[in-house]
Amino acid sequence: MSEIADKVKKIVVEHLGVEESKVTPEASFIDDLGADSLDTVELVMAFEEAFNVEIPEDAAEKIATVKDAIDYIEAQKAA
Amino acid sequence: MLQSAASDLGRRRVVVTGMGMVTPLGLGTENVWKRLVAGESGIDRIHAFDPSELAAHIGGEVPDGPTAEGKLTISDWIPVKDQKKMDRFIQLGMIAAIEAVEDSGWKPESEEDRCATGVQIGSGIGGLQTIYDASITVYEGRAKRLSPFFIPSALGNLVSGNVSIRYGFKGPNHSAVTACATGVHAIGDAARTIMFGDADVMVAGGAEATVCKLGIAGFCSARALSTGFNDRPKQASRPWDRDRDGFVMGEGAGIVVLEEYEHAKKRGAKIYGEVIGYGMSGDAYHITAPAEGHDGAYRAMFAAVRSAGITPGDIGYVNAHGTSTMADDLELSAVERLFGDDGRKVAMSSTKSAIGHLLGAAGAVEAMFSMLAIRDGVVPPTLNLDNPSRESIIDRVPHQAQERKVNIALSNSFGFGGTNASVIVRGV
């Protein structure tokens, strides 16, 4: 697993208070990890802060799973 | 004055079937009550922040420590991930509400019962520390980093909201915000919500957490806090004493479960007492100072007595607002005026001498103390009342608790803005 994926996972565990084993790439923040809409806003902010990236609102709306987050951040970092 | 108004007799009766308390004397109603009656004080130098640059260095903070010892370990009550969504006043309110609801044994299963169960928990100020922290974030140019939980963490009615969500209570969801009168208004208004048939059960009370730098600094600027006893914290709150020099800020929450009498009886609930009277008034005088003779206090007490359908002589104990400020003697005058010669038979104490002034939670905690005084036949003391600034025929229970049979008790709370509220309770 990449360094970015590792860090994303850690942030999700911390912010949503879920077991690490549940944070699979396919896991949906809302459907599988118990997040509500405000939790996801806060998660995106935490990603922005941790990776020093800007995630505009329309992009944030498309980040529904752990993998979506990792892919988006990796793409930003590669650019 | 509405001398001719009818009393509330003939209405639905409202009893207390659950209690929860978080105060500077610890967690748990029985634990706090036992320590209060023993004459202990919860006032100390402030731990939450370094107070040395402020005039007041002392406060009543809820003591940290193991839950089993009646101390505060927030994670035992509220999951870490939810704590950031709740200012401390909400956390303290939730803990007291959990105790009260579980103590009552009321677990509505049907939709109908859930809709007949409401919440009315207020706060004098709301999430002050949360607002302070968020202001700094914005000031530092990080407005876009403001937590999405800032607003729901700061809002004054969010103990009511969170309690309803936790337990599925779908009845009236309300929240009083009347500064230091909040707790009494919450209980009185919630009782009337039941009397009018809008609910059968109401979880009611107040919560406050303003022993923070902004809170202490603000009340210091208003010249309201004690500043002369920083080296002797436990002597600082001294209602009616000639050396008193301001109130001591406390934090905490007091929550009761109010229930329609037949509803409580039918399910075999334990009943602490009955809310029989409630009175309110406004001073229309000054934003922080009470009017001469504390006429507003007199009118609130008078209205409560009238609504209870009793005479002042029926009252055996008064839990005074008694903040340890100049206003103490004004309240005393109003109480003397209310009781007349019957003042010789009544005991009045200020439990703020032990726990400080819990602002929006004060009235709720003190109404509960009044009910426990009736239950146990003991009235709690006024600590540090060494030399009353003036004499009175009213026994103000200096230093030590007194065994005393009390059938009916009155509790007063007055707030900035000139808002006054009194509630009367009796044993059942």
Side-chain angles (χ1 to χ4, degrees), chain B residues 88-133:
Chain B
R88 185 173 171 88
F89 91 93
I90 301 177
Q91 297 175 6
L92 301 181
M94 287 299 285
I95 294 169
I98 291 167
E99 183 195 348
V101 171
E102 289 180 5
D103 183 41
S104 77
W106 174 238
K107 285 187 200 128
E109 305 280 342
S110 70
E111 182 71 1
E112 196 187 343
D113 281 346
R114 280 194 291 270
C115 291
T117 305
V119 191
Q120 160 66 284
I121 300 168
S123 180
I125 296 187
L128 198 57
Q129 181 65 40
T130 295
I131 293 169
Y132 177 92
D133 291 339

Side-chain angles (χ1 to χ4, degrees), chain B residues 91-362:
Chain B
Q91 297 175 6
L92 301 181
M94 287 299 285
I95 294 169
I98 291 167
E99 183 195 348
V101 171
E102 289 180 5
D103 183 41
S104 77
W106 174 238
K107 285 187 200 128
E109 305 280 342
S110 70
E111 182 71 1
E112 196 187 343
D113 281 346
R114 280 194 291 270
C115 291
T117 305
V119 191
Q120 160 66 284
I121 300 168
S123 180
I125 296 187
L128 198 57
Q129 181 65 40
T130 295
I131 293 169
Y132 177 92
D133 291 339
S135 303
I136 289 173
T137 302
V138 173
Y139 178 76
E140 288 173 342
R142 292 154 29 87
K144 285 169 83 178
R145 287 275 177 271
L146 206 51
S147 163
F149 301 114
F150 161 53
I151 297 294
S153 177
L155 287 175
N157 67 310
L158 260 280
V159 184
S160 284
N162 277 293
V163 167
S164 73
I165 292 162
R166 180 183 178 106
Y167 289 105
F169 296 157
K170 296 184 174 178
N173 199 275
H174 207 333
S175 185
V177 182
T178 48
C180 306
T182 298
V184 168
H185 277 132
I187 290 176
D189 287 0
R192 289 195 173 167
T193 301
I194 294 172
M195 288 170 192
F196 272 71
D198 295 306
D200 290 327
V201 181
M202 289 292 290
V203 183
E208 203 77 67
T210 46
V211 186
C212 57
K213 200 163 186 177
L214 187 56
I216 299 290
F219 280 95
C220 272
S221 288
R223 301 292 184 270
L225 296 182
S226 167
T227 56
F229 293 84
N230 287 338
D231 55 338
R232 294 163 288 162
K234 292 190 186 337
Q235 296 173 32
S237 187
R238 41 195 318 116
W240 300 296
D241 187 80
R242 69 178 183 205
D243 296 323
R244 67 187 186 277
D245 71 338
F247 81 81
V248 176
M249 182 97 79
E251 63 171 3
I255 313 271
V256 293
V257 174
L258 299 174
E259 190 165 347
E260 193 276 322
Y261 177 58
E262 296 297 336
H263 189 277
K265 229 170 54 173
K266 208 164 127 191
R267 69 181 186 90
K270 164 184 63 186
I271 294 175
Y272 286 95
E274 179 175 2
V275 178
I276 58 168
Y278 176 43
M280 298 169 274
S281 75
D283 284 348
Y285 177 70
H286 187 267
I287 49 173
T288 62
E292 192 56 38
H294 222 325
D295 184 60
Y298 172 80
R299 287 183 286 110
M301 290 187 284
F302 186 91
V305 164
R306 186 189 63 219
S307 90
I310 61 169
T311 60
D314 298 326
I315 296 168
Y317 172 63
V318 175
N319 188 299
H321 185 56
T323 53
S324 187
T325 60
M326 48 74 79
D328 295 357
D329 282 344
L330 299 179
E331 180 183 14
L332 178 60
S333 300
V335 171
E336 287 169 337
R337 181 179 162 200
L338 180 77
F339 281 88
D341 283 344
D342 287 329
R344 292 179 200 288
K345 298 186 295 183
V346 71
M348 171 163 79
S349 64
S350 169
T351 44
K352 289 186 178 79
S353 59
I355 60 173
H357 188 355
L358 274 54
L359 307 189

